[in-house]
Amino acid sequence: MEGKKQLLATLVGCNYAGTPHELRGCINDVLAMFDTLVARFGFAPGDITVLTDDDRSAAAVLPTGANIKRALADMVARASPGDVLFFHYSGHGTLVPHRRGHGARQDEAIVPCDFNLITDVDFRQLVDRVPQGATFTMVSDSCHSGGLIDQEKEQIGPSAVVTDDLAVDGTTTRAARARFLPYAAVVGHLSGASGVDASHHVADHLLALFGADASAKFRHHHDAPTPSPDGGILLSGCQTDETSADVAADDEAAVGGKACGAFSSAVQAVLAAHPAPVSNQEVVSRARELLRDQGFEQHPCLYCSDANADAPFLCQQEGAAAIPAL
């Protein structure tokens, strides 16, 4: 086994069934990505950890904040130089205002099924533990997902777009539910269980409920790291100031008549249409084009080092066939 790279993945889908925040396509995104990882990229099913909040499966590991962070930490702990690590998240995202200060800056976070937020600082710390020479690719199909790896270099986004700006002028905005939870909704949900007044910052609620399992952002102060090239690669479903669409099953953009995330579906379509190698930059650029053509007002982004922008998505080299189109 020496010298052979490992392909490891963690896939998370949160539909929040039975809540006011219910989504439809997140678990479908995860199932589709599982099949793609095995069929196209050669991942072994046993090396793919799946966490969903599907209450129909008694064996499902719930995607709580602690469970997601544990699965990711275990994946990184298994890694060696040269390995390929992959994390896919479909679910709600949110923006968290700074606890102190009056700046307009807000921080990105994903919303696990128990609302124990995982923030950009948590993903920064995770990437910092990835062995040199390994890669950690993250696809986040959630609102405000641009910048979810703190301090990762923007390659495609609001400050660094591809040559064709891919604006949506002249297109029709699609009617789709956004994978977004307003900050007030997150605090309102948590305050009912935390016993902390809803006027307090979300950090107080999370620390009261989850203690050491709360985000590192809220447990102690963190100075911003000095950016340097690393193995982190973020493909986000939208910019920090945008929302990502959850597509209903009867929408023409839905794959196979199943609810899905617009960005997840676009990534699948790009991979199906283009044999390896497809660079990270190409995946995001082509997904932008497809979403624009479909009338979605969201702009996927890419954050990574210069070298990884041009590297093949999931390090897949020439010779691997594309998945047959559905």
Side-chain angles (χ1 to χ4, degrees):
M1 293 294 292
E2 187 176 349
K4 183 177 180 181
K5 67 182 179 183
Q6 295 185 96
L7 306 175
L8 308 174
T10 300
L11 312 179
V12 174
C14 297
N15 275 347
Y16 317 91
T19 76
H21 317 294
E22 184 170 358
L23 298 172
R24 300 292 184 181
C26 300
I27 293 175
N28 289 338
D29 291 347
V30 163
L31 298 177
M33 184 55 74
F34 183 99
D35 291 342
T36 298
L37 292 179
V38 173
R40 173 172 177 139
F41 294 97
F43 282 66
D47 287 330
I48 304 174
T49 298
V50 177
L51 294 82
T52 71
D53 58 356
D54 184 356
D55 57 9
R56 296 170 297 178
S57 174
V61 177
L62 287 175
T64 63
N67 285 343
I68 294 171
K69 287 190 285 189
R70 186 177 301 112
L72 292 173
D74 289 347
M75 181 171 70
V76 170
R78 291 179 58 187
S80 299
D83 289 349
V84 177
L85 312 183
F86 179 63
F87 173 49
H88 178 105
Y89 171 76
S90 282
H92 279 304
T94 193
L95 289 172
V96 180
H98 281 193
R99 190 170 187 173
R100 297 178 180 86
H102 303 286
R105 173 89 169 97
Q106 299 183 89
D107 296 312
E108 304 83 10
I110 64 171
V111 185
C113 68
D114 63 348
F115 282 55
N116 184 9
L117 302 182
I118 302 177
T119 70
D120 56 344
V121 166
D122 297 308
F123 289 117
R124 173 77 268 157
Q125 292 184 345
L126 187 74
V127 168
D128 286 345
R129 298 200 302 270
V130 173
Q132 189 72 27
T135 57
F136 178 93
T137 301
M138 176 176 173
V139 170
S140 190
D141 195 349
S142 56
C143 292
H144 307 297
S145 46
L148 261 173
I149 301 177
D150 191 37
Q151 299 297 311
E152 200 64 59
K153 183 176 180 180
E154 180 184 310
Q155 299 287 346
I156 299 175
S159 302
V161 297
V162 284
T163 51
D164 54 335
D165 191 26
L166 301 178
V168 295
D169 295 344
T171 63
T172 302
T173 303
R174 301 296 288 267
R177 180 159 189 171
R179 292 181 169 182
F180 168 58
L181 276 180
Y183 174 75
V186 175
V187 171
H189 177 90
L190 291 170
S191 65
S194 68
V196 177
D197 189 88
S199 63
H200 284 237
H201 191 273
V202 71
D204 296 326
H205 300 274
L206 292 170
L207 291 170
L209 286 168
F210 303 108
D213 283 331
S215 170
K217 178 185 286 289
F218 307 129
R219 287 186 282 112
H220 38 79
H221 175 73
H222 289 275
D223 294 321
T226 302
S228 61
D230 55 43
I233 304 166
L234 169 65
L235 292 78
S236 67
C238 61
Q239 296 176 176
T240 300
D241 60 349
E242 293 179 333
T243 60
S244 291
D246 192 60
V247 179
D250 58 357
D251 191 292
E252 63 185 35
V255 178
K258 295 180 179 179
C260 62
F263 178 56
S264 293
S265 177
V267 169
Q268 292 286 351
V270 170
L271 295 176
H274 301 281
V278 185
S279 71
N280 291 304
Q281 186 164 262
E282 187 176 3
V283 170
V284 172
S285 297
R286 290 187 181 277
R288 275 189 163 219
E289 293 172 357
L290 182 56
L291 291 171
R292 176 202 60 191
D293 292 345
Q294 293 174 334
F296 290 103
E297 288 193 352
Q298 62 187 84
H299 298 79
C301 300
L302 175 65
Y303 297 81
C304 62
S305 67
D306 294 341
N308 281 331
D310 294 324
F313 180 66
L314 295 184
C315 302
Q316 188 181 31
Q317 300 299 326
E318 187 173 2
I323 305 169
L326 297 176

